Amino acid sequence: ENLTARYSIAYDAMDGETYARTFAPDGVLAYAAGEVKGYEALRDQVLKWPHSRNKAVAPETSARPRTQHYITNQLIDVDGDTAKQTSYWIAVTNESRHGELEMVYQGHSVDDLVRLNGKWLFKRRQVYNESLPQIRCLFYQHLGEKDPRKAGAPPGARTSSGPWKADPTEDARRLKIVC
């Protein structure tokens, strides 16, 4: 849990050094835009993401727009010096059209962790951003979800028609998104 908190806080603070140190030396971040591997690439990636915190502010400004990530529902299965973590996440911003807090993204992550020199690090972090229709899936087998289109849905189950899909699109396959 401390690893994931350190990751999120460093990301939101645009602290590339701390962010990159949450990964193993050959660690990989896989997300909607592709994969980033290795310390330098991970460190530099933090500054490339377009978030409200990247905007310049006037010298007299006393507050600024922020986006913060919150991690919830963490499941961690440890096996010696490796572990598997699954967690949900949301991103909230104070930069909205109406001046109130607004949720901007939501999703989940599946992580392979490794303990090196007594410290837990991300070996591979797969981030699923379920706010992006081009990579959203109808169900995620790795979360234990079942295909809701198949027989056995509970009586009275709600159905929906939307951009959800059971099979990854070409974009998702290219990005190695596994539903």
Side-chain angles (χ1 to χ4, degrees):
E1 293 175 357
N2 283 339
L3 171 63
T4 308
R6 197 167 46 252
Y7 165 93
S8 296
I9 291 169
Y11 174 69
D12 291 337
M14 294 179 61
D15 179 352
E17 298 291 331
T18 300
Y19 177 85
R21 284 195 304 268
T22 64
F23 286 85
D26 60 346
V28 175
L29 170 68
Y31 71 112
E35 291 188 353
V36 181
K37 183 176 181 178
Y39 179 83
E40 290 82 13
L42 289 160
R43 179 196 61 210
D44 296 345
Q45 184 64 40
V46 171
L47 297 176
K48 293 178 184 176
W49 281 311
H51 291 289
S52 58
R53 64 183 186 266
N54 288 340
K55 296 180 180 173
V57 295
E60 67 276 4
T61 303
S62 60
R64 69 182 172 105
R66 296 181 186 278
T67 298
Q68 294 178 330
H69 291 75
Y70 297 90
I71 310 299
T72 66
N73 301 352
Q74 290 176 278
L75 295 174
I76 304 171
D77 294 315
V78 178
D79 184 12
D81 286 334
T82 63
K84 187 79 152 182
Q85 173 180 255
T86 302
S87 58
Y88 292 174
W89 59 268
I90 60 171
V92 176
T93 186
N94 64 358
E95 182 181 36
S96 64
R97 293 177 300 279
H98 50 75
E100 301 293 327
L101 291 178
E102 181 174 88
M103 186 175 86
V104 288
Y105 298 115
Q106 60 98 24
H108 69 280
S109 298
V110 177
D111 307 313
D112 294 321
L113 310 176
V114 62
R115 185 170 24 204
L116 297 176
N117 301 318
K119 188 175 181 180
W120 286 102
L121 301 168
F122 294 110
K123 178 76 173 170
R124 179 177 179 83
R125 183 163 177 76
Q126 176 72 61
V127 178
Y128 295 86
N129 187 333
E130 294 154 28
S131 303
L132 303 174
Q134 70 271 26
I135 60 169
R136 188 181 304 153
C137 297
L138 177 64
F139 66 102
Y140 295 93
Q141 291 180 350
H142 60 264
L143 293 179
E145 297 176 350
K146 307 277 187 252
D147 186 340
R149 299 166 302 174
K150 293 189 176 180
R158 291 178 32 205
T159 60
S160 63
S161 60
W164 303 280
K165 53 197 153 296
D167 300 315
T169 63
E170 185 177 324
D171 283 343
R173 279 191 289 280
R174 178 179 52 80
L175 299 172
K176 300 178 183 161
I177 302 296
V178 178
C179 294

